[in-house]
Amino acid sequence: MTALLWACTLSASVYAGAPFYVVKADTLVHLNEVTVTAKRIEHAGDRYVIHVPTNENKNMDEVLRQAPGIWMDNRSILINGTGGTKVFVNDREIRLEGEQLVAYLRSIPAQNIKRVEVQSMADAGRSADLQGGIICLYLRKKTIDGLSASLSLDERTGSRMHTWQPTAFLDVRKGKWNVYASGAYTLRPTDKGRACSVRHYRSDNIAMQSSERVSSPYRHYRLSVGGLLDIDSTQQIGLETEWAGSSLRRNSEALTLLSIAGIARNSRGDYRQQSQYDAGSIATNYKKTLDARGSELKVMGDYIHKSSSSNNFYSVLSLWNNVDTAYSKHTSADYDIASADASVHHRLPHAQQLLWGGRYAFTRMNNKAADCDLLYHEHIGAIYAEYSFHAGRWNGSAGLRLEHTATRNRTDGIHRNSTDLYPHVSVTYAFDEMKQWMLNLQYAEKVERPNFLYMNPTRIQISEYAYMVGNPRLRPTYIHKFYLTLIAAYRYTLTIGCNSNKDIVRPYSRQDALNPLSNYVTYENHRGENDWFVALSAPIDMGRSLRLTVNMVGVRQYIRKNGDEKYDAHNLVFANATLAARMGKGFNAELEYSVHNRMYTSNSQIGTSQNVGFTVRKLLINGRMTVVAGVENLFNRYERYRVVLPHYTTDTEMRMPSDGRKIRIGLSWRIDKGKKAEKRKVESSAAEERNRMEQETKKY
């Protein structure tokens, strides 16, 4: 597991334009000018809040990359080094994962967001499967009886790679009705690169190496339409529908050079793989305000249907004996998820709150292939309660969630039932009345249920001597999380913590028992993995126009596959620095550098990585238009991997242009007409089930 605390605590100064005067009796007292300092990032108990200024000319993925504890690349989001992060917009879960989720965040202008709340540990009111924490985006106020909209186009171009992403947002209100729509389309028609792999055998009489020319075009679309009706001043009902889909092709031509006892057994392969999915969903909710303090009843329902398919064709010509072998496979899968959630949030006197409620979710997966089928049902029922308080310099919360899970693998006859309690505790103490110095302690227990990709038993051929296959017998992972954070002078943070995992699911490489020259990747439960980390964040102001944010983290990682084995220990070091400059006349620039050493998971490793990027922005037409230009991965660093097996070690380098140096150009336009009001969206009751379903699309 990667552990990374990337923190950036910012503050902004707001000048109160005119001097103050106080009149008392007949005396005029002239006070000095006052400068009010507003905290950009505010720590509040078990979460922190990023207040996004109206002139923030970035998109949301750029804002989150500089937020405390968050680490992002083009495919994943981690909080304090833990994956599985979920993103919500106005408490409505975003139903995307991986590259699609990052692309979605890139499509949201930061000006649309009022604030961001980040929880490294989800509270008891959220599903226990949210083991990686949550990021909640709250939209800025919108127009009453008016219209707000935004359009953007983002292009990234590299050597033999092009990506375009147009996006659009629309929000219209008339009387008691609020109708909104949003859409995004990502098109990567060209992405041509290569991969090189070398096996280092322990035996001197075997040698193998291969090279591939790879083409991987990709597209993704998303469209959502929703509406809200204010029944009266205390009641609201909403409905939202969404359609999404993607298509990924991976075509490769590989040349494999194999020598056994000095005899060449070379081969040439042609591999064509195509996967796609389409999904539709509908969500509805009902809210009712219960009293003058803002207590609320909330009922949510959600249904999703997703269909996916994969077509694979392989042709291998053995050059040493002129034998041609062809192989094809078609797989498909259907998913249905239905969920409902009801809760009551009491706001009590003396800054106390009580939340209680219940949730039920049903998931059905039907995977079909020529060699095997998998019919899987899952039922999850939960009740929960959480109490929170604020008293003087103390504030905290304590919650408990009871979940019962029943799974039915009808194909393999694997039935499991479990009932578990998941506690969550957070306590914060402020050392001074202004809360410049605070200490926060958090503890929670979570569960990570295997996603559907990991359980899919269908064999997917990657090359002549490599394939991947899922494991339908996977067990859930139970996680104990402990964090202690010191906040100093509002902005500096020092965190020590541990993520202790039992039965953690990890990809594992093995040799094929029937063909020792082949290896495959599957997913297995490992006995345990403990990650202890210390992280420091220190933003440094360098005058009025420069700010340097330096973040560092050190990790001591302990990995044990089986209960009778010793722990393997590794040291991980991460560092990140961002230099931001305001150059006047609407120009802003950022220079970013990040580095990590070798990372370990099971018998696989990810090589050392360094990345440098540079971005310049210009505001035009009173801030309504933003032009962006920059370079990502300036020194063209690529991903490197290593797999260590008993008889050999494999080193692989992937040189895909989508991961290499890219020139970025972007343009966005914002329209806002009418008076201001709070922008709202329909909430959803589905949570972790969507995450596990979306993982199914990330096969290659």
Side-chain angles (χ1 to χ4, degrees), residues 471-484:
N471 179 5
R473 297 182 178 274
L474 289 174
R475 302 183 302 276
T477 301
Y478 290 93
I479 310 163
H480 294 272
K481 302 163 69 73
F482 166 83
Y483 296 161
L484 182 64

Side-chain angles (χ1 to χ4, degrees), residues 192-198 209-215 250-256 462-463 638-639 641 651-657:
K192 297 182 178 181
R194 61 186 179 90
C196 300
S197 180
V198 179
Q209 65 180 31
S210 65
S211 61
E212 290 183 80
R213 291 187 298 176
V214 183
S215 175
R250 188 181 189 275
N251 302 328
S252 64
E253 298 177 1
L255 176 62
T256 302
I462 303 300
S463 67
Y638 288 99
E639 297 177 340
Y641 306 94
D651 289 311
T652 302
E653 182 180 38
M654 296 293 299
R655 300 183 65 87
M656 294 304 296

Side-chain angles (χ1 to χ4, degrees), residues 375-395:
L375 181 59
Y376 176 86
H377 289 179
E378 181 179 82
H379 302 262
I380 301 177
I383 56 174
Y384 54 86
E386 182 170 80
Y387 169 77
S388 60
F389 71 94
H390 178 80
R393 298 184 181 183
W394 293 90
N395 71 68

Side-chain angles (χ1 to χ4, degrees), residues 76-97:
S76 58
I77 305 175
L78 293 84
I79 300 178
N80 287 346
T82 303
T85 301
K86 301 301 291 290
V87 176
F88 295 78
V89 175
N90 280 10
D91 293 326
R92 173 77 163 93
E93 182 205 351
I94 301 303
R95 306 156 187 171
L96 303 172
E97 292 294 330

